[in-house]
Structures are given as C-alpha cells and as structure tokens.
C-alpha cells in the first residue's frame, strides 16, 4: 500500500456522504483547500473528541476557505446519527470497503486498528501536510488549521 505524502497529488476519490450525496475530491480543485481526516469509529472516546474538535474549529476552517471531510468505515446511517448527536457541521464519508484508506495509504495501528491520519490538500489538489497519531486527537485539528491558514496567505 503506497502512502500519500506531502507534495503528492491527492487521490481523486468519489465517495458517498452521510447526507446521501456523492462527492469527489476533484469537486473542490481550484476552489477550496480540503482537510480529510480518517478516524477509526464513530462514538468511541478519542474519535468523538477529534470530531468535536473539528466541529469547534469548523468556523475557523470555513473562514479560511477550507472544506472538512471525516472518513471512517461506519455506515452512512451511523454517520448521520453521530453527526446529529454531536452537531457536526462537516461531511462524513462512509468507507465501508476500506478503499479510501487503501488509496491514501492510511496504515493500521499495531496492524489491527484503523489509523487516524489527517491530510491537508491545497486548492490545486496537492497534499501539503500529513499528520498521523492514534491518540493525539486535538493535534490533528491544530496542525490542519495551522497549514490551512498558511495556505490562505
């Protein structure tokens, strides 16, 4: 599995959101930077903390022109409940078959748990930052926002 690193073009994935829409990363090319965060599972303590941290900083991301997308293997209906329960304003994508994780090269933690990795993609579709940490959920948001703000300059 090839890992996506800073400087690589972001894969052009077409995905279904928890709102029943099909989106593609190419939809944002030339218009918005995109923050894509992969997380293991809706409703777990660290994943909920991470999602709520992105929610709390969402206005900062949108003011900087960025789109935020969360991806896990949970179903669209589970994503819908998770988004409603926690007031998540960003899109959640269901990666039931693990294709998005494979294409981005998201590693498993200890070979078992789905990895927690955040990618910042610029307006031209180039990955500018990758942060991977299973437990430092808040740092995913902090690092992504720092990079997004620099991209706006």
């Amino acid at each position: 599995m090839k890992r996506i690193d800073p400087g690589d073009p972001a894969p052009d994935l077409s995905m279904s959101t928890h709102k029943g829409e099909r989106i593609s990363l190419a939809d944002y090319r030339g218009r918005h930077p995109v923050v894509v965060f992969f997380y293991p599972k809706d409703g777990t303590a660290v994943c909920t903390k991470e999602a709520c941290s992105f929610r709390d900083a969402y206005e900062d991301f949108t003011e900087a022109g960025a789109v935020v997308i969360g991806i896990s293997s949970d179903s669209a209906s589970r994503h819908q409940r998770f988004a409603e329960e926690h007031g998540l304003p960003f899109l959640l994508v269901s990666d039931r078959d693990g294709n998005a994780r494979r294409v981005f090269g998201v590693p498993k933690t200890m070979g078992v748990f789905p990895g927690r990795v955040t990618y910042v993609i610029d307006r031209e579709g180039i990955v500018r930052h990758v942060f991977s940490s299973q437990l430092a959920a808040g740092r995913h948001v902090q690092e992504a926002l720092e990079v997004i703000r620099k991209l706006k300059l």
Side-chain angles (χ1 to χ4, degrees):
M1 171 167 61
K2 183 190 179 313
R3 191 177 76 197
I4 300 296
D5 291 314
D8 291 342
D12 184 21
L13 291 176
S14 179
M15 307 166 283
S16 294
T17 73
H18 71 287
K19 296 180 179 184
E21 306 163 332
R22 291 289 295 174
I23 61 165
S24 172
L25 291 179
D27 295 342
Y28 304 106
R29 200 161 296 134
R31 298 176 37 223
H32 299 281
V34 179
V35 175
V36 175
F37 71 99
F38 287 88
Y39 64 100
K41 188 162 183 62
D42 290 348
T44 61
V46 178
C47 294
T48 299
K49 178 180 177 183
E50 180 181 24
C52 289
S53 293
F54 271 108
R55 175 202 62 207
D56 295 346
Y58 185 71
E59 189 173 313
D60 295 324
F61 282 105
T62 58
E63 284 177 2
V67 172
V68 177
I69 301 170
I71 302 177
S72 80
S73 62
D74 292 295
S75 68
S77 61
R78 185 171 173 113
H79 278 330
Q80 182 67 36
R81 285 190 305 275
F82 185 58
E84 287 173 3
E85 182 178 341
H86 297 286
L88 305 180
F90 46 82
L91 296 174
L92 296 176
V93 169
S94 181
D95 185 31
R96 301 291 289 166
D97 63 1
N99 183 57
R101 283 184 183 279
R102 280 190 297 281
V103 170
F104 270 87
V106 176
K108 290 187 176 191
T109 301
M110 297 186 291
V112 179
F113 303 106
R116 183 183 313 281
V117 181
T118 298
Y119 298 86
V120 178
I121 304 164
D122 69 14
R123 282 178 178 80
E124 286 73 46
I126 304 300
V127 174
R128 293 298 170 197
H129 185 73
V130 178
F131 180 71
S132 177
S133 174
Q134 195 68 340
L135 299 176
R139 280 199 49 209
H140 285 264
V141 177
Q142 293 166 349
E143 292 206 11
L145 191 52
E146 285 176 22
V147 174
I148 288 295
R149 285 178 172 151
K150 287 177 186 172
L151 290 175
K152 190 176 178 184
L153 299 177

mmCIF file of all heavy atoms in Angstrom, residues 1 14 18 23 26 37 41 45 53 60-62 87 94 99 102 109 117 130 133 144 149:
data_model
loop_
_atom_site.group_PDB
_atom_site.id
_atom_site.type_symbol
_atom_site.label_atom_id
_atom_site.label_comp_id
_atom_site.label_asym_id
_atom_site.label_seq_id
_atom_site.Cartn_x
_atom_site.Cartn_y
_atom_site.Cartn_z
ATOM 1 N N MET A 1 0.855 -1.176 0.000
ATOM 2 C CA MET A 1 0.000 0.000 0.000
ATOM 3 C C MET A 1 0.896 1.233 0.000
ATOM 4 O O MET A 1 1.692 1.431 0.898
ATOM 5 C CB MET A 1 -0.895 -0.059 1.243
ATOM 6 C CG MET A 1 -1.677 1.160 1.510
ATOM 7 S SD MET A 1 -3.003 0.977 2.733
ATOM 8 C CE MET A 1 -2.160 0.499 4.210
ATOM 9 N N SER A 14 -14.257 9.364 -5.381
ATOM 10 C CA SER A 14 -15.675 9.684 -5.381
ATOM 11 C C SER A 14 -16.284 8.900 -4.226
ATOM 12 O O SER A 14 -16.069 7.690 -4.117
ATOM 13 C CB SER A 14 -16.307 9.277 -6.712
ATOM 14 O OG SER A 14 -17.676 9.574 -6.704
ATOM 15 N N HIS A 18 -22.791 11.151 4.500
ATOM 16 C CA HIS A 18 -23.885 10.780 5.401
ATOM 17 C C HIS A 18 -25.192 11.465 5.018
ATOM 18 O O HIS A 18 -26.250 11.090 5.500
ATOM 19 C CB HIS A 18 -23.513 11.108 6.854
ATOM 20 C CG HIS A 18 -23.480 12.559 7.183
ATOM 21 N ND1 HIS A 18 -22.484 13.409 6.748
ATOM 22 C CD2 HIS A 18 -24.318 13.317 7.927
ATOM 23 C CE1 HIS A 18 -22.714 14.626 7.207
ATOM 24 N NE2 HIS A 18 -23.820 14.601 7.920
ATOM 25 N N ILE A 23 -19.707 12.902 -3.558
ATOM 26 C CA ILE A 23 -18.732 13.977 -3.723
ATOM 27 C C ILE A 23 -17.444 13.366 -4.253
ATOM 28 O O ILE A 23 -17.201 12.173 -4.114
ATOM 29 C CB ILE A 23 -18.440 14.734 -2.406
ATOM 30 C CG1 ILE A 23 -17.857 13.783 -1.352
ATOM 31 C CG2 ILE A 23 -19.675 15.458 -1.911
ATOM 32 C CD1 ILE A 23 -17.220 14.497 -0.181
ATOM 33 N N ALA A 26 -12.065 15.989 -6.495
ATOM 34 C CA ALA A 26 -11.888 16.867 -7.654
ATOM 35 C C ALA A 26 -12.923 17.990 -7.681
ATOM 36 O O ALA A 26 -12.675 19.038 -8.278
ATOM 37 C CB ALA A 26 -11.957 16.049 -8.940
ATOM 38 N N PHE A 37 -9.875 13.901 7.251
ATOM 39 C CA PHE A 37 -9.372 13.178 8.420
ATOM 40 C C PHE A 37 -9.991 11.794 8.501
ATOM 41 O O PHE A 37 -11.197 11.626 8.443
ATOM 42 C CB PHE A 37 -9.534 13.983 9.722
ATOM 43 C CG PHE A 37 -10.931 14.145 10.252
ATOM 44 C CD1 PHE A 37 -11.404 13.332 11.276
ATOM 45 C CD2 PHE A 37 -11.767 15.138 9.759
ATOM 46 C CE1 PHE A 37 -12.688 13.505 11.798
ATOM 47 C CE2 PHE A 37 -13.042 15.320 10.266
ATOM 48 C CZ PHE A 37 -13.508 14.486 11.288
ATOM 49 N N LYS A 41 -13.630 5.026 14.333
ATOM 50 C CA LYS A 41 -15.022 4.609 14.534
ATOM 51 C C LYS A 41 -15.852 5.699 15.217
ATOM 52 O O LYS A 41 -15.426 6.288 16.201
ATOM 53 C CB LYS A 41 -15.048 3.342 15.392
ATOM 54 C CG LYS A 41 -16.407 2.704 15.505
ATOM 55 C CD LYS A 41 -16.263 1.264 15.967
ATOM 56 C CE LYS A 41 -17.577 0.565 16.033
ATOM 57 N NZ LYS A 41 -18.284 0.454 14.780
ATOM 58 N N ALA A 45 -14.381 7.155 22.322
ATOM 59 C CA ALA A 45 -13.966 8.343 23.077
ATOM 60 C C ALA A 45 -13.027 9.259 22.287
ATOM 61 O O ALA A 45 -13.278 10.466 22.167
ATOM 62 C CB ALA A 45 -13.314 7.922 24.391
ATOM 63 N N SER A 53 -13.630 18.349 18.143
ATOM 64 C CA SER A 53 -12.590 19.377 17.993
ATOM 65 C C SER A 53 -12.667 19.999 16.606
ATOM 66 O O SER A 53 -12.535 21.219 16.456
ATOM 67 C CB SER A 53 -11.200 18.776 18.230
ATOM 68 O OG SER A 53 -11.054 18.388 19.572
ATOM 69 N N ASP A 60 -13.398 28.422 11.921
ATOM 70 C CA ASP A 60 -12.048 28.857 11.546
ATOM 71 C C ASP A 60 -11.648 28.253 10.197
ATOM 72 O O ASP A 60 -11.042 28.928 9.359
ATOM 73 C CB ASP A 60 -11.031 28.455 12.615
ATOM 74 C CG ASP A 60 -11.284 29.167 13.938
ATOM 75 O OD1 ASP A 60 -11.693 30.337 13.926
ATOM 76 O OD2 ASP A 60 -11.060 28.536 14.988
ATOM 77 N N PHE A 61 -11.972 26.978 9.991
ATOM 78 C CA PHE A 61 -11.659 26.338 8.720
ATOM 79 C C PHE A 61 -12.437 26.991 7.579
ATOM 80 O O PHE A 61 -11.874 27.292 6.525
ATOM 81 C CB PHE A 61 -11.971 24.835 8.769
ATOM 82 C CG PHE A 61 -10.934 24.031 9.503
ATOM 83 C CD1 PHE A 61 -11.183 23.555 10.780
ATOM 84 C CD2 PHE A 61 -9.710 23.738 8.922
ATOM 85 C CE1 PHE A 61 -10.236 22.809 11.462
ATOM 86 C CE2 PHE A 61 -8.748 22.995 9.584
ATOM 87 C CZ PHE A 61 -9.011 22.522 10.871
ATOM 88 N N THR A 62 -13.735 27.216 7.776
ATOM 89 C CA THR A 62 -14.540 27.781 6.694
ATOM 90 C C THR A 62 -14.147 29.225 6.404
ATOM 91 O O THR A 62 -14.158 29.644 5.244
ATOM 92 C CB THR A 62 -16.057 27.675 6.980
ATOM 93 O OG1 THR A 62 -16.365 28.338 8.198
ATOM 94 C CG2 THR A 62 -16.487 26.215 7.044
ATOM 95 N N GLY A 87 -23.713 17.466 16.674
ATOM 96 C CA GLY A 87 -23.806 18.730 15.939
ATOM 97 C C GLY A 87 -22.644 18.946 14.985
ATOM 98 O O GLY A 87 -22.116 20.053 14.892
ATOM 99 N N SER A 94 -18.598 7.410 4.352
ATOM 100 C CA SER A 94 -18.556 6.001 4.708
ATOM 101 C C SER A 94 -17.575 5.270 3.790
ATOM 102 O O SER A 94 -17.732 5.282 2.575
ATOM 103 C CB SER A 94 -19.958 5.402 4.556
ATOM 104 O OG SER A 94 -19.944 4.053 4.917
ATOM 105 N N ASN A 99 -11.635 1.232 0.713
ATOM 106 C CA ASN A 99 -10.954 1.721 -0.481
ATOM 107 C C ASN A 99 -10.259 3.065 -0.258
ATOM 108 O O ASN A 99 -9.120 3.255 -0.694
ATOM 109 C CB ASN A 99 -11.925 1.824 -1.663
ATOM 110 C CG ASN A 99 -11.207 2.249 -2.920
ATOM 111 O OD1 ASN A 99 -10.258 1.609 -3.354
ATOM 112 N ND2 ASN A 99 -11.659 3.336 -3.511
ATOM 113 N N ARG A 102 -7.094 2.568 1.634
ATOM 114 C CA ARG A 102 -6.062 1.952 0.785
ATOM 115 C C ARG A 102 -5.457 2.979 -0.165
ATOM 116 O O ARG A 102 -4.247 3.060 -0.322
ATOM 117 C CB ARG A 102 -6.637 0.783 -0.013
ATOM 118 C CG ARG A 102 -6.751 -0.501 0.772
ATOM 119 C CD ARG A 102 -7.100 -1.682 -0.111
ATOM 120 N NE ARG A 102 -8.402 -1.566 -0.762
ATOM 121 C CZ ARG A 102 -9.563 -1.816 -0.161
ATOM 122 N NH1 ARG A 102 -9.601 -2.206 1.098
ATOM 123 N NH2 ARG A 102 -10.701 -1.693 -0.825
ATOM 124 N N THR A 109 -2.916 0.809 13.000
ATOM 125 C CA THR A 109 -2.127 0.932 14.218
ATOM 126 C C THR A 109 -1.972 -0.455 14.816
ATOM 127 O O THR A 109 -2.960 -1.164 14.993
ATOM 128 C CB THR A 109 -2.830 1.886 15.203
ATOM 129 O OG1 THR A 109 -2.981 3.153 14.564
ATOM 130 C CG2 THR A 109 -2.012 2.064 16.466
ATOM 131 N N VAL A 117 -5.381 9.500 10.615
ATOM 132 C CA VAL A 117 -4.466 10.325 9.821
ATOM 133 C C VAL A 117 -5.261 11.481 9.218
ATOM 134 O O VAL A 117 -6.370 11.290 8.723
ATOM 135 C CB VAL A 117 -3.799 9.513 8.682
ATOM 136 C CG1 VAL A 117 -2.828 10.388 7.893
ATOM 137 C CG2 VAL A 117 -3.087 8.282 9.230
ATOM 138 N N VAL A 130 0.552 16.014 6.291
ATOM 139 C CA VAL A 130 0.000 14.751 6.773
ATOM 140 C C VAL A 130 0.348 14.643 8.249
ATOM 141 O O VAL A 130 1.498 14.854 8.632
ATOM 142 C CB VAL A 130 0.602 13.546 6.014
ATOM 143 C CG1 VAL A 130 0.051 12.241 6.567
ATOM 144 C CG2 VAL A 130 0.344 13.654 4.514
ATOM 145 N N SER A 133 -1.551 10.282 14.233
ATOM 146 C CA SER A 133 -1.425 9.975 15.661
ATOM 147 C C SER A 133 -2.728 9.350 16.114
ATOM 148 O O SER A 133 -3.793 9.938 15.934
ATOM 149 C CB SER A 133 -1.140 11.226 16.490
ATOM 150 O OG SER A 133 -1.176 10.899 17.866
ATOM 151 N N ALA A 144 -3.789 20.891 11.223
ATOM 152 C CA ALA A 144 -4.509 21.157 9.978
ATOM 153 C C ALA A 144 -4.856 22.637 9.855
ATOM 154 O O ALA A 144 -4.674 23.237 8.789
ATOM 155 C CB ALA A 144 -5.770 20.304 9.903
ATOM 156 N N ARG A 149 -4.279 27.963 7.352
ATOM 157 C CA ARG A 149 -4.068 29.409 7.480
ATOM 158 C C ARG A 149 -2.871 29.862 6.652
ATOM 159 O O ARG A 149 -2.893 30.930 6.048
ATOM 160 C CB ARG A 149 -3.903 29.798 8.944
ATOM 161 C CG ARG A 149 -5.224 29.784 9.684
ATOM 162 C CD ARG A 149 -5.056 30.128 11.133
ATOM 163 N NE ARG A 149 -6.345 30.297 11.777
ATOM 164 C CZ ARG A 149 -6.570 30.061 13.068
ATOM 165 N NH1 ARG A 149 -5.576 29.641 13.839
ATOM 166 N NH2 ARG A 149 -7.767 30.226 13.572
#
